[in-house]
Amino acid sequence: MSVCSLVVGLLLYQAAKQEQQLNQALLSRDVTRYHQISSLLSERLSVWVESLKYINESAVDTQTELVDTLQRSMDFLLLQWDVNNVWVLNAQQEVVYRQGEILPDDVKPMVAKTLQEARPVNGLHCFNLCKQISSIPVLTNAQTASVVVMSTSVQELLALLSETTHAELAMVKEVPNTVSKQNRYYLNSMLNESQQRFMSDVLQAIPSDASQHTLVSTGVEVSVNNNAYLVTFVPLYADLSKGYYLLFVHDIDERKQAYRTQNLTIFLGGLGLVVTFLTSIFLLLRRYAFKLTVLSNMLPLLAQQRFNEFKAAQENSFNRNIWLRDELDTLGEAAIELAERLETLDQQATANTAKLEKMAMFDNLTGLPNRSMMMFQINKQLAAMQRQQSGMALLFIDLDNFKKVNDSHGHHFGDEVVKLASERLSGVIRENDNIARFGGDEFVVIVTDLDHEEQVSAVAEKLISQFIEPMNIGEYTFYISISIGIAYTENAKSSTLELMRHADTAMYEAKLSPGSGYCFFHASMNQKVVKQVELETAARVALQKQQFFLMLQPQIELATQRLIGFEALLRWRHPERGMVPPGDFLPMLENSAMMPEIDFWVLERAIGLLANLNERGYRDVKMAINLSAAQFANSALKPYLIQLIEHYQVDPKNIELELTETELVADIERAIEVIHEVRALGCLIAVDDFGTGYSSLSYLRMIPSDIIKIDRSFIAGMLETDSDRNIVQSTISMVHNMGFEVVGEGIEQAEQMAELVAMGCRFGQGYFISRPIDENSLWEVVEARVTNGCWQIQ
């Protein structure tokens, strides 16, 4: 009998424990589903707001356009999602738009957190009634930060929770009772009369000794109208002192009846058939324990969105036969149905999120991260530096002369160049480094885990090595070089914008050297940037106020000293600084927006001077004009030349356009095409500074030029070194054999001139022959130094 009593007592205890576990499982499920559904409803608003820039017919460029878009959408928001209040705040947390009530004070910390963390923040605001609050950051196309705050009714939340939990729900408010020192609870929801009466009875039925902790952690069982219910509270605020809760009321009467029946069966069976009873109870408890274990392991998987593991865990765990099912099978089936619905919602949200993230964070052309993603990665790496105690470098990469490709071949070829460049750059960086397309022809690379900045040099050289080989796109070949600016830091407090500005400054410094190259940022570059800006401004003023002028250096036939032409050289006479040396302003203006305007001014001025020479009887004298890379690639060059030739009535054969080897070889196919167009007009083409650029002899056959100008560096050294003399002599011989004329530059001694004549060089120029002549003094000098067409060397 004692054994039977013990067994029965144990079975009754186990049944009570199971009942408690079921209550706990219900409570866990209620909490989990509340947070899941609340998050889904809030994320729905966040996704809608964040997608405004992409789903509207017109882009949301400004805060005003954002407000207009929200105003137009209010009917949709109210009808579709019961959005009853909308506020728009600027970056200073000032309300710039309000639809509905005044913004509550306890919502403002959510706005501040949204601006600080640049992500949506969700919560609840309860006063007379509770409302869901969503605070969503918006960055317009004008780069203006705003926050959209929306409040929605909790009715949809309560309806979905009621549907998925099969429970009656209401919002309640805890109010301190100063008389009995026992807090009481009052309804804080919109309910119909029957729901109001039922919920009031439930609250009255809560035992007076039921503590706040008990209601939140385990719940209490109450009896209303002779029916058993499980009552649990879910706090709506982390701060329990606010006293707002979500009340769940589960009908457990059927389960309680089964529980009482089970206890009676256990008791009677224990009296009659101890062995059979013990065996049955053992099998029953084992099955229940298994189901409870499966459920306790399965339900957390839903919160973690591990749906495949959830499916694997529930297989063969619950009985689907209607005659053999118990409460746990019903609970398990409900969990499975919930999992299927949540998985579908999660897949849809994941797909939508992935699309939005890809649109917002990745470049469509190259597939690389874009500017927004790179800025995020830079901030992330700076934060990681505090823990890792290492350095990082930001490399700003620009494709040199990319505008020439776009202007001469169209944007399709430009896009292909950018894609090939992204593949080459991506192929050499480490897995833990990051690369992004920053826009146009600009790329940014982050190199991390560095001990010293010399390590970055190796990375930069690897990147440059990828552009030694030309790019073959269709039938065209492009020689693309890159300029890399490097900002290195070991200071985790460095700002992203500061690093970007430093790398950009260093990149422009690297561009001053021909070909591919890289440059580290140092503080003195800031002064150079200021000087560059001041110089461009002064140059624009100089062009407007005619401070620029030309100096003309005579070119003669060396053997007879016959005057054959002049080379036009740009000079700048500043009203305060006086004569500005060409080396001080031409290299800095070379890549500026001012250069094309200056180029065309030089072209018109030089041809105008040529027309004046013709009027004074010098009809066989030519004018040599230097072209910059930008002017050479400009599609307006040919029509402008035609216009000037017709306007000034000059012979095109007296116009000589000079280009350096570097400009020609940068895009050899386009260069040849332009040269053919210019020569078709009758103009001459001269290759300037021959011998200082690329593989000169190999490209010379490809370039349909008329004149080759030997660089002054070889002329200066040919009397002292055999190597320079041999280079000059072999170049003259080879160029003559190819049918071109040769001009020697930089002749400063009579011996150099005599040596060039002996080598067969027909033409030359230099200080020995004449220094450049101010255009205003040209006629006086020509009349004084030209006799019978020959230049008198003094």
Side-chain angles (χ1 to χ4, degrees):
M1 187 69 179
S2 60
V3 174
C4 179
S5 299
L6 178 62
V7 170
V8 170
L10 289 174
L11 291 176
L12 291 175
Y13 170 76
Q14 185 68 22
K17 184 177 180 180
Q18 288 179 357
E19 188 72 10
Q20 184 180 7
Q21 290 175 338
L22 284 172
N23 290 345
Q24 192 64 42
L26 275 176
L27 176 60
S28 299
R29 187 192 67 178
D30 292 342
V31 172
T32 299
R33 291 184 182 178
Y34 164 70
H35 288 297
Q36 289 175 338
I37 294 175
S38 177
S39 297
L40 285 172
L41 294 178
S42 299
E43 288 176 2
R44 177 180 64 185
L45 290 177
S46 299
V47 170
W48 183 84
V49 171
E50 291 171 358
S51 63
L52 281 179
K53 295 190 291 184
Y54 308 103
I55 63 177
N56 286 337
E57 294 180 358
S58 60
V60 180
D61 290 324
T62 64
Q63 201 171 68
T64 302
E65 293 180 2
L66 173 64
V67 169
D68 291 342
T69 302
L70 288 171
Q71 287 178 326
R72 293 194 300 271
S73 304
M74 280 305 302
D75 291 341
F76 167 81
L77 292 173
L78 179 62
L79 294 174
Q80 190 72 16
W81 294 324
D82 200 17
V83 176
N84 45 38
N85 292 289
V86 176
W87 302 273
V88 178
L89 294 88
N90 59 21
Q92 290 74 40
Q93 302 183 35
E94 299 171 343
V95 177
V96 298
Y97 170 73
R98 173 171 66 90
Q99 177 66 40
E101 303 172 357
I102 297 175
L103 181 69
D105 290 339
D106 60 351
V107 176
K108 293 179 181 179
M110 294 173 59
V111 175
K113 186 176 181 181
T114 300
L115 287 171
Q116 180 181 3
E117 300 180 4
R119 66 175 182 83
V121 177
N122 305 307
L124 284 170
H125 166 68
C126 295
F127 184 59
N128 293 327
L129 294 174
C130 291
K131 298 178 181 179
Q132 278 189 291
I133 302 296
S134 295
S135 177
I136 307 155
V138 176
L139 184 65
T140 65
N141 291 336
Q143 304 298 308
T144 302
S146 304
V147 177
V148 177
V149 183
M150 296 183 178
S151 72
T152 61
S153 168
V154 296
Q155 295 305 313
E156 184 179 6
L157 171 64
L158 296 179
L160 290 173
L161 278 173
S162 178
E163 180 182 354
T164 56
T165 61
H166 307 293
E168 297 292 333
L169 297 102
M171 301 287 186
V172 298
K173 166 69 175 171
E174 181 183 23
V175 180
N177 190 332
T178 57
V179 177
S180 65
K181 296 185 179 180
Q182 178 66 40
N183 295 349
R184 299 307 301 161
Y185 304 98
Y186 298 92
L187 293 172
N188 194 41
S189 291
M190 299 175 61
L191 303 173
N192 59 37
E193 184 177 353
S194 62
Q195 289 174 325
Q196 183 88 15
R197 185 166 51 253
F198 171 73
M199 287 298 184
S200 297
D201 292 342
V202 169
L203 291 176
Q204 291 295 328
I206 295 176
S208 60
D209 60 347
S211 66
Q212 181 190 73
H213 175 74
T214 302
L215 289 168
V216 171
S217 59
T218 61
V220 297
E221 296 181 3
V222 300
S223 177
V224 177
N225 300 326
N226 297 321
N227 210 57
Y229 296 94
L230 174 64
V231 178
T232 59
F233 280 8
V234 175
L236 297 180
Y237 287 90
D239 183 6
L240 297 182
S241 64
K242 291 183 178 292
Y244 287 97
Y245 301 91
L246 179 58
L247 169 66
F248 284 82
V249 181
H250 289 277
D251 186 350
I252 58 172
D253 190 69
E254 183 179 346
R255 196 180 76 196
K256 295 295 291 186
Q257 292 289 346
Y259 172 69
R260 287 190 288 270
T261 302
Q262 182 185 26
N263 286 349
L264 181 61
T265 302
I266 291 172
F267 178 75
L268 295 176
L271 292 175
L273 297 169
V274 175
V275 175
T276 303
F277 181 75
L278 287 174
T279 303
S280 300
I281 291 300
F282 172 77
L283 295 175
L284 180 63
L285 291 178
R286 183 177 180 183
R287 183 62 180 165
Y288 265 58
F290 172 75
K291 291 180 180 179
L292 284 172
T293 301
V294 170
L295 279 173
S296 64
N297 292 331
M298 285 168 53
L299 292 176
L301 296 177
L302 291 181
Q304 301 168 15
Q305 299 180 335
R306 295 156 61 184
F307 300 109
N308 291 333
E309 296 179 37
F310 181 92
K311 292 177 182 177
Q314 61 86 23
E315 289 182 2
N316 302 321
S317 299
F318 300 99
N319 199 332
R320 298 182 182 274
N321 191 311
I322 190 173
W323 301 107
L324 300 178
R325 292 172 59 186
D326 55 26
E327 293 84 353
L328 291 179
D329 292 322
T330 302
L331 187 60
E333 186 175 350
I336 293 170
E337 292 176 0
L338 175 62
E340 291 173 351
R341 296 186 64 180
L342 289 178
E343 183 178 12
T344 301
L345 290 173
D346 182 69
Q347 290 172 348
Q348 294 173 351
T350 301
N352 292 335
T353 301
K355 290 179 181 178
L356 291 173
E357 286 181 350
K358 187 171 183 180
M359 292 171 63
M361 294 297 180
F362 290 89
D363 176 53
N364 291 332
L365 179 62
T366 63
L368 295 176
N370 62 10
R371 179 190 295 261
S372 300
M373 175 66 85
M374 179 53 71
M375 299 296 280
F376 169 78
Q377 290 294 338
I378 295 172
N379 288 324
K380 179 180 175 182
Q381 293 301 333
L382 286 172
M385 283 175 61
Q386 294 180 337
R387 303 185 301 271
Q388 299 170 353
Q389 299 297 316
S390 61
M392 68 169 282
L394 190 147
L395 285 70
F396 200 103
I397 305 168
D398 185 79
L399 306 183
D400 298 330
N401 297 321
F402 178 75
K403 187 176 184 299
K404 289 177 59 179
V405 177
N406 270 340
D407 291 346
S408 58
H409 295 278
H411 290 283
H412 169 71
F413 283 91
D415 290 345
E416 293 299 318
V417 168
V418 169
K419 286 196 287 186
L420 281 175
S422 70
E423 293 172 5
R424 293 186 179 187
L425 294 172
S426 301
V428 296
I429 65 171
R430 301 175 303 177
E431 291 185 2
N432 59 326
D433 295 333
N434 296 283
I435 182 172
R437 184 188 180 200
F438 217 61
D441 61 334
E442 298 173 340
F443 297 87
V444 171
V445 173
I446 305 176
V447 183
T448 57
D449 299 328
L450 299 173
D451 298 324
H452 47 79
E453 68 177 18
E454 286 75 12
Q455 292 175 282
V456 192
S457 298
V459 177
E461 289 170 359
K462 281 185 180 180
L463 295 172
I464 288 173
S465 68
Q466 296 300 303
F467 292 85
I468 295 175
E469 294 297 324
M471 293 183 179
N472 296 310
I473 301 175
E475 59 185 15
Y476 295 98
T477 300
F478 299 97
Y479 288 83
I480 301 295
S481 60
I482 61 174
S483 296
I484 305 176
I486 304 172
Y488 176 82
T489 183
E490 295 179 354
N491 182 9
K493 296 183 179 180
S494 300
S495 72
T496 300
L497 293 178
E498 181 183 33
L499 284 176
M500 289 301 306
R501 186 172 64 252
H502 289 175
D504 186 52
T505 300
M507 183 270 292
Y508 279 103
E509 183 71 17
K511 275 187 172 294
L512 296 180
S513 300
S516 296
Y518 64 91
C519 181
F520 284 87
F521 173 82
H522 50 80
S524 62
M525 289 183 182
N526 284 328
Q527 299 177 354
K528 193 167 186 178
V529 170
V530 173
K531 185 177 179 181
Q532 171 88 17
V533 173
E534 292 175 349
L535 179 66
E536 289 188 24
T537 303
R540 190 171 299 278
V541 173
L543 194 60
Q544 293 172 352
K545 296 189 175 182
Q546 298 182 351
Q547 294 173 10
F548 288 121
F549 67 99
L550 297 183
M551 295 194 77
L552 306 167
Q553 185 169 42
Q555 296 176 337
I556 67 170
E557 187 177 31
L558 298 178
T560 64
Q561 298 181 198
R562 179 174 59 88
L563 178 66
I564 64 165
F566 294 91
E567 180 178 3
L569 304 171
L570 179 65
R571 294 295 183 265
W572 183 0
R573 185 181 291 108
H574 194 276
E576 297 176 359
R577 297 168 56 186
M579 291 295 296
V580 181
D584 287 357
F585 71 91
L586 282 177
M588 297 185 72
L589 290 177
E590 184 69 28
N591 296 312
S592 72
M594 275 293 299
M595 202 61 202
E597 192 174 351
I598 294 174
D599 284 332
F600 283 110
W601 179 87
V602 170
L603 193 63
E604 181 177 9
R605 189 73 169 176
I607 293 178
L609 289 172
L610 178 62
N612 290 340
L613 283 167
N614 291 343
E615 291 174 0
R616 292 176 181 252
Y618 295 93
R619 296 194 169 275
D620 294 327
V621 172
K622 65 182 181 179
M623 185 65 69
I625 307 167
N626 292 283
L627 293 184
S628 69
Q631 188 179 22
F632 186 58
N634 197 319
S635 58
L637 175 61
K638 179 182 176 181
Y640 192 62
L641 264 176
I642 295 173
Q643 179 183 343
L644 292 177
I645 291 170
E646 292 176 351
H647 176 72
Y648 287 105
Q649 295 295 305
V650 296
D651 192 339
K653 70 181 178 125
N654 290 331
I655 299 175
E656 175 187 315
L657 301 181
E658 296 188 359
L659 304 105
T660 64
E661 290 179 87
T662 303
E663 294 164 355
L664 290 169
V665 176
D667 184 354
I668 190 69
E669 284 85 1
R670 176 60 181 168
I672 293 173
E673 181 181 341
V674 173
I675 288 173
H676 280 305
E677 292 177 355
V678 171
R679 295 186 75 198
L681 299 178
C683 300
L684 302 177
I685 295 293
V687 178
D688 199 9
D689 300 337
F690 182 77
T692 61
Y694 291 81
S695 303
S696 306
L697 301 181
S698 61
Y699 287 108
L700 193 56
R701 294 180 179 275
M702 302 173 60
I703 300 171
S705 55
D706 301 287
I707 300 165
I708 305 298
K709 301 186 74 173
I710 303 175
D711 186 67
R712 66 182 64 249
S713 60
F714 298 112
I715 303 296
M718 73 178 184
L719 297 180
E720 288 77 22
T721 61
D722 292 337
S723 59
D724 284 352
R725 182 186 298 109
N726 292 334
I727 289 174
V728 174
Q729 187 166 10
S730 60
T731 300
I732 293 172
S733 176
M734 180 202 66
V735 170
H736 281 164
N737 289 335
M738 296 177 67
F740 303 151
E741 290 291 351
V742 180
V743 176
E745 291 187 295
I747 301 173
E748 298 185 359
Q749 302 175 29
E751 293 80 1
Q752 292 173 345
M753 180 171 166
E755 186 71 18
L756 287 172
V757 172
M759 291 179 180
C761 179
R762 289 187 60 192
F763 308 110
Q765 65 185 84
Y767 279 14
F768 174 71
I769 298 169
S770 175
R771 288 181 174 274
I773 306 166
D774 190 317
E775 62 175 284
N776 295 323
S777 306
L778 178 63
W779 314 122
E780 298 176 10
V781 176
V782 168
E783 289 177 3
R785 299 186 62 175
V786 176
T787 304
N788 297 325
C790 294
W791 188 266
Q792 303 300 314
I793 299 176
Q794 297 178 349

